Amino acid sequence: MELARQRILFAASVFILCFHSCCHAERPPSYTFVKHAADGPTVSYHDYIIVGGGTAGCPLAATLSRSFDVLVLERGGSPYGNSNISNLATLVRNLADLTPTSPTQRFVSEDGVINARARVLGGGTCINGGFYSRASAQEVREMGWDAELVDQSYRWVEEEVASEPQLIQWTSALKEGFSMPE
């Protein structure tokens, strides 16, 4: 398990270094539907309220909003205009940013590991470069989760949210180099 984590971290480092020169910050779009809570009405009614505009909350809201009135509550702000998110070369700076407006919040896990969680619309995807992975069957069992429900959830995310990148020759070779021997 530790070897797999080291390989993932190395792959992420290579990915960030390789794309350092082809990134640029985006200008913030004018989203009229994004509001600060203090500017909203004191009372409002919605068909669904989704707490957390992360990797699952945003696509769920987008799917439901086709037929229903949906409110998404997110404790963070919009990622647009934050060069630490939109510029892959500066993505790592999020982990060192301890300011109150940082898109990340540090915490210590139950097993004592210092980590960071997102506090920005888009969730963890905005602070981890868009990496997506599944928990192993063993991890699902150890957590005591319903394996069938977990698999259904992963399938939904993979159909609605995640996409497999188109690999070119050198990225295919890199992926093969990190593959676990069978």
Side-chain angles (χ1 to χ4, degrees):
M1 184 63 111
E2 185 59 33
L3 181 61
R5 285 198 172 112
Q6 288 175 347
R7 287 179 172 181
I8 290 171
L9 286 173
F10 180 74
S13 300
V14 169
F15 179 80
I16 289 169
L17 290 173
C18 289
F19 289 97
H20 179 275
S21 62
C22 26
C23 299
H24 64 281
E26 296 176 18
R27 286 188 208 164
S30 177
Y31 286 139
T32 57
F33 56 86
V34 175
K35 307 268 191 249
H36 191 277
D39 299 333
T42 54
V43 176
S44 62
Y45 298 91
H46 306 278
D47 297 316
Y48 291 93
I49 298 174
I50 298 172
V51 178
T55 306
C58 284
L60 178 60
T63 301
L64 288 172
S65 67
R66 293 177 187 150
S67 304
F68 301 99
D69 180 44
V70 179
L71 172 66
V72 177
L73 300 175
E74 170 56 51
R75 68 187 171 135
S78 172
Y80 294 101
N82 182 331
S83 64
N84 290 347
I85 292 172
S86 58
N87 184 343
L88 193 55
T90 59
L91 187 69
V92 179
R93 291 183 190 163
N94 287 325
L95 302 177
D97 186 352
L98 301 176
T99 65
T101 58
S102 169
T104 61
Q105 177 185 25
R106 281 199 181 171
F107 72 99
V108 178
S109 66
E110 291 179 6
D111 54 352
V113 176
I114 298 172
N115 209 329
R117 67 177 136 240
R119 60 174 171 205
V120 65
L121 193 62
T125 302
C126 288
I127 65 168
N128 72 9
F131 286 93
Y132 168 80
S133 63
R134 284 181 169 226
S136 69
Q138 178 183 346
E139 290 171 312
V140 171
R141 279 192 306 277
E142 288 174 1
M143 295 287 193
W145 294 341
D146 179 332
E148 186 176 325
L149 183 59
V150 168
D151 189 55
Q152 288 174 5
S153 300
Y154 279 132
R155 283 195 314 255
W156 178 81
V157 167
E158 290 161 1
E159 290 170 10
E160 296 292 326
V161 183
S163 63
E164 185 99 15
Q166 185 69 33
L167 299 179
I168 57 176
Q169 193 171 20
W170 77 268
T171 53
S172 295
L174 184 65
K175 180 182 176 186
E176 290 300 315
F178 289 119
S179 296
M180 299 290 275
E182 294 184 24

